[in-house]
Amino acid sequence: MWQFVKYSLATLVGICLFFVFALLLLAGVGAAMGGDEKEYVVKEQSILHLDLNRPFVENASTEDNPLDDLPNPFFSSTDKLGLIQVLSALERARVDSNIKGVYLDVSFPMAGYAKLTEVRNALAKFKKSGKFVYAYANSYSEKGYFVASVADVVYLNPAGLLDFNGVSVQYMFFKKAFDKLEIEPLVFRVGQFKSAVEPFIREDMSPENKMQTLSFIQSINKELFQKISESRGISAAKLNTIADSLQAFDPKNAERLGMVKLGYLDEFEAKLKSLTGKKVSDELKYVRLGDYLHAKNPIPSVEGNNKIAVLVAEGEIVGTKGGDGSIGSDDFIKELKKLRENKSVKAIVLRIDSPGGSSLASDIMWREIELTKKVKPVITSMSDYAASGGYYMAMGTDVIVAQPTTITGSIGIFAQWLNLDNFFKNKLGITQDHVNTHAHSNFMTSASALTDFEKSVVQNMVNQGYASFTSKAAQGRKMSLAKLQSLAGGRVWTGVQAKQIGLVDELGGLDRAIEIAADRAKLPPASYKVAVYPKAKSFLDELISTAFSESSMESRFVQSNMPWTKSIWELDRMKKREGFLALMPFMMELE
């Protein structure tokens, strides 16, 4: 079934390759003709226009993408927001005399709450300089309003919508579909909370999964509402009442409750003109994020060669070989070894945004981290997710820093297998036969049933993987194995919960992790540079890597034209994952 979809698309993809080649050629010629980028000049009384309605990644190129406005189903948009770049721009703008304030455009940000918390905290710091932050949107999602609520004034279009009803999580379950297709999922796991396998063996959430999910989304919701309460001057209790009764969905009610100010864009811009001393007939001087990052940095450069390296580990841990949006142990180790051997790098901050994945790759990377921290300090900064295999990487570092809304923990191992015998035979009319030299020569090599003995072998290996995971976590966290195991079992925690139980050392963002790294390396403030690794791909590199990734092209084409197939592609990814897995709950999205 999986190959059928794949090869059906092959001809169509081939026909369109010429189109892709032509675009790449045009982009290359354009880049060559453009030459070196000139330094952007920021005019007086400028406003930094911060448009956060794009997909967030940790580190992104600051180059413009001339092809983003062209409709195409074959390569992904390279127009991504780098969190590190957003934070850098706000820190620069805070001391830039030519920047008078921020126009915050944050209707529907595409990021998790931990990344958005970092941005929100940076905006709060920016405001302390005495400059303004004004937000405007036609509508706000829950995440959008969370960020916008830090602004001096939150403008909402009078005909718009404020989505304010609390945090939710939705899972998709495949058991009934598997039953109809006569596909038997074989699952091996340790820990009653290791719920990543539930979509394949249940029709709904287990009581344990419901309990842990309710616990961590309540923790996140409490943190969000507390910050909104502090910014808007509305009690958390009142915010809970507003959310429960959907009062904010009516724009007039939202204004009456003090959550927003209703106004059209022209009225909003008239206010910005008054704040920057302009006449009604004058034009506002907006500076886009990309342009501002190419302006002269108002922060003086640091003398000397001392560096704090930020090593970004972002995406699912897929095995030894990674790719765009995923982590492979080979690439990670290569980067980490370079930093370990680089004499100018005095400490390393490991920036993790990963739900986990291959337990083997996680263990390989953990070992390299152990070797590195014997040479120089290694500090973890957790982003949206640092769970399961993501926590495996973090647990060996000297200090772990997480945002209160970070999703972490999920210390557990599982394996999964699909028995497709009856599906092939009864649904497709395909039968299989084998010739083996030994009793189990085809063990784990075909989509067939496993014997009880083979099942016991797999379960024993999963048990051993869990024992290794928990013992190393206990060692890294300096707690007894019994204590660690009481916190494990695959259970997911938020950063604030993890801090309370000892899985995390401090609450804070990337800036706090860098401070700790400098302190451990005995570097005084302003005596070191911060360098981010691996280097962000250029526009052309990003385009080439996404355009010529076969699976990437196929999945983007199908999902853009047939969205209902998303679940099929997720199952295909499940089939391709290497070895046993240290992965958090499957397809979890906070809304």
Side-chain angles (χ1 to χ4, degrees):
M1 178 179 70
W2 317 109
Q3 296 301 315
F4 174 76
V5 176
K6 179 177 180 179
Y7 291 115
S8 295
L9 290 169
T11 302
L12 183 57
V13 170
I15 293 172
C16 296
L17 278 178
F18 176 77
F19 173 69
V20 177
F21 269 118
L23 290 177
L24 288 174
L25 183 61
L26 287 172
V29 171
M33 292 177 63
D36 295 332
E37 293 188 59
K38 294 182 179 180
E39 185 178 275
Y40 183 84
V41 178
V42 181
K43 298 178 181 179
E44 293 181 354
Q45 304 294 325
S46 290
I47 299 171
L48 179 60
H49 182 186
L50 206 54
D51 180 357
L52 303 182
N53 302 305
R54 287 177 283 163
F56 267 83
V57 293
E58 292 294 328
N59 188 31
S61 171
T62 59
E63 291 183 13
D64 285 332
N65 177 3
L67 304 181
D68 265 331
D69 293 331
L70 296 178
N72 73 85
F74 295 103
F75 46 82
S76 62
S77 170
T78 61
D79 188 23
K80 298 173 183 175
L81 274 171
L83 174 67
I84 290 170
Q85 284 69 40
V86 172
L87 299 180
S88 174
L90 285 170
E91 183 61 20
R92 293 184 190 187
R94 187 176 66 87
V95 298
D96 190 337
S97 60
N98 289 326
I99 296 293
K100 295 304 176 184
V102 168
Y103 165 14
L104 183 59
D105 183 355
V106 61
S107 302
F108 298 95
M110 303 177 203
Y113 280 112
K115 284 193 185 75
L116 297 179
T117 298
E118 299 243 10
V119 174
R120 195 181 190 279
N121 290 344
L123 287 164
K125 184 179 179 181
F126 176 89
K127 283 175 57 179
K128 289 180 180 179
S129 68
K131 301 180 180 184
F132 66 82
V133 176
Y134 271 50
Y136 180 86
N138 289 325
S139 294
Y140 289 102
S141 66
E142 194 104 29
K143 289 179 178 178
Y145 184 72
F146 167 64
V147 179
S149 65
V150 77
D152 298 292
V153 181
V154 182
Y155 273 84
L156 172 66
N157 188 301
L161 177 70
L162 172 56
D163 180 7
F164 189 79
N165 56 349
V167 180
S168 68
V169 176
Q170 183 172 307
Y171 299 101
M172 186 174 291
F173 296 86
F174 304 100
K175 184 180 183 302
K176 280 193 171 183
F178 279 11
D179 289 344
K180 289 181 178 181
L181 295 172
E182 297 188 62
I183 296 174
E184 179 191 11
L186 304 175
V187 167
F188 310 88
R189 62 174 169 172
V190 180
Q192 58 184 341
F193 294 103
K194 200 62 182 174
S195 55
V197 299
E198 288 189 359
F200 312 110
I201 60 175
R202 295 182 59 91
E203 297 177 13
D204 56 7
M205 299 168 68
S206 67
E208 294 82 5
N209 192 17
K210 276 195 173 181
M211 184 270 282
Q212 75 165 345
T213 302
L214 180 60
S215 175
F216 72 70
I217 66 172
Q218 284 179 332
S219 175
I220 290 172
N221 195 82
K222 181 179 178 181
E223 178 70 19
L224 306 183
F225 278 32
Q226 184 58 43
K227 286 188 175 294
I228 293 171
S229 172
E230 293 168 1
S231 295
R232 306 317 312 162
I234 306 171
S235 71
K238 179 63 175 176
L239 288 173
N240 280 307
T241 300
I242 293 170
D244 279 335
S245 55
L246 302 181
Q247 294 180 40
F249 275 73
D250 182 336
K252 292 181 180 179
N253 268 343
E255 183 176 47
R256 179 180 57 80
L257 293 164
M259 299 183 74
V260 298
K261 177 178 177 60
L262 298 184
Y264 290 98
L265 182 59
D266 61 289
E267 295 173 311
F268 168 74
E269 291 193 324
K271 179 62 178 177
L272 295 187
K273 289 177 182 179
S274 70
L275 290 169
T276 53
K278 292 184 176 298
K279 299 176 182 178
V280 175
S281 58
D282 292 338
E283 287 189 6
L284 289 165
K285 298 175 183 176
Y286 290 134
V287 182
R288 297 185 309 124
L289 175 65
D291 290 333
Y292 189 65
L293 290 171
H294 290 121
K296 183 179 179 180
N297 191 342
I299 301 174
S301 60
V302 175
E303 299 293 333
N305 296 320
N306 291 339
K307 294 180 183 177
I308 301 294
V310 176
L311 178 56
V312 175
E314 184 172 24
E316 187 176 326
I317 302 168
V318 295
T320 55
K321 299 295 182 182
D324 291 327
S326 63
I327 304 170
S329 56
D330 285 357
D331 292 336
F332 177 85
I333 288 173
K334 182 179 179 181
E335 290 285 347
L336 190 56
K337 280 183 175 179
K338 286 181 183 178
L339 298 179
R340 184 169 72 224
E341 296 167 1
N342 188 332
K343 300 299 183 183
S344 65
V345 172
K346 304 302 181 183
I348 299 169
V349 173
L350 181 57
R351 177 69 174 181
I352 300 175
D353 187 20
S354 174
S358 165
S359 61
L360 172 60
S362 300
D363 191 72
I364 292 171
M365 292 186 290
W366 168 86
R367 176 59 181 172
E368 203 65 30
I369 292 167
E370 286 286 309
L371 296 175
T372 302
K373 75 175 186 179
K374 293 178 181 178
V375 178
K376 56 189 66 175
V378 182
I379 312 300
T380 289
S381 172
M382 293 181 168
S383 186
D384 288 331
Y385 302 99
S388 207
Y391 190 80
Y392 207 125
M393 298 171 68
M395 66 190 184
T397 59
D398 296 300
V399 181
I400 299 177
V401 182
Q403 286 288 2
T405 51
T406 294
I407 299 295
T408 188
S410 193
I411 299 171
I413 301 285
F414 71 94
Q416 54 194 6
W417 194 251
L418 297 180
N419 176 10
L420 300 175
D421 271 349
N422 288 332
F423 168 71
F424 283 135
K425 181 174 64 176
N426 299 331
K427 303 301 181 182
L428 301 181
I430 299 172
T431 57
Q432 303 181 72
D433 203 353
H434 307 278
V435 177
N436 303 322
T437 59
H438 293 76
H440 306 285
S441 294
N442 67 334
F443 176 48
M444 302 290 283
T445 60
S446 65
S448 303
L450 299 179
T451 66
D452 289 341
F453 170 73
E454 289 170 337
K455 290 178 183 179
S456 70
V457 170
V458 177
Q459 186 62 58
N460 286 336
M461 293 172 70
V462 171
N463 292 346
Q464 291 174 21
Y466 181 72
S468 176
F469 193 167
T470 53
S471 63
K472 290 171 180 174
Q475 174 188 343
R477 300 310 302 156
K478 296 179 174 59
M479 65 173 65
S480 69
L481 181 59
K483 170 71 172 179
L484 189 284
Q485 288 181 339
S486 72
L487 308 173
R491 179 159 182 179
V492 174
W493 308 91
T494 62
V496 68
Q497 292 173 328
K499 170 69 167 59
Q500 292 168 353
I501 61 179
L503 294 181
V504 160
D505 295 300
E506 283 200 29
L507 297 179
L510 179 59
D511 56 346
R512 178 57 186 148
I514 292 171
E515 288 175 0
I516 295 171
D519 182 64
R520 290 291 181 107
K522 297 181 172 53
L523 296 175
S527 69
Y528 58 87
K529 303 171 185 177
V530 176
V532 182
Y533 302 89
K535 299 299 182 183
K537 288 183 178 180
S538 67
F539 156 68
L540 195 56
D541 288 340
E542 181 83 13
L543 188 62
I544 291 172
S545 64
T546 57
F548 294 103
S549 169
E550 179 188 7
S551 60
S552 180
M553 293 174 69
E554 291 170 352
S555 63
R556 280 193 296 273
F557 178 82
V558 174
Q559 291 184 42
S560 64
N561 292 278
M562 294 172 282
W564 54 269
T565 62
K566 181 178 180 181
S567 298
I568 294 177
W569 289 93
E570 288 290 346
L571 289 172
D572 189 51
R573 288 174 63 243
M574 176 198 79
K575 181 173 66 71
K576 292 176 181 176
R577 289 171 180 152
E578 296 182 17
F580 300 131
L581 302 176
L583 192 67
M584 66 175 296
F586 189 75
M587 293 171 65
M588 186 182 75
E589 293 184 11
L590 296 176
E591 298 178 354

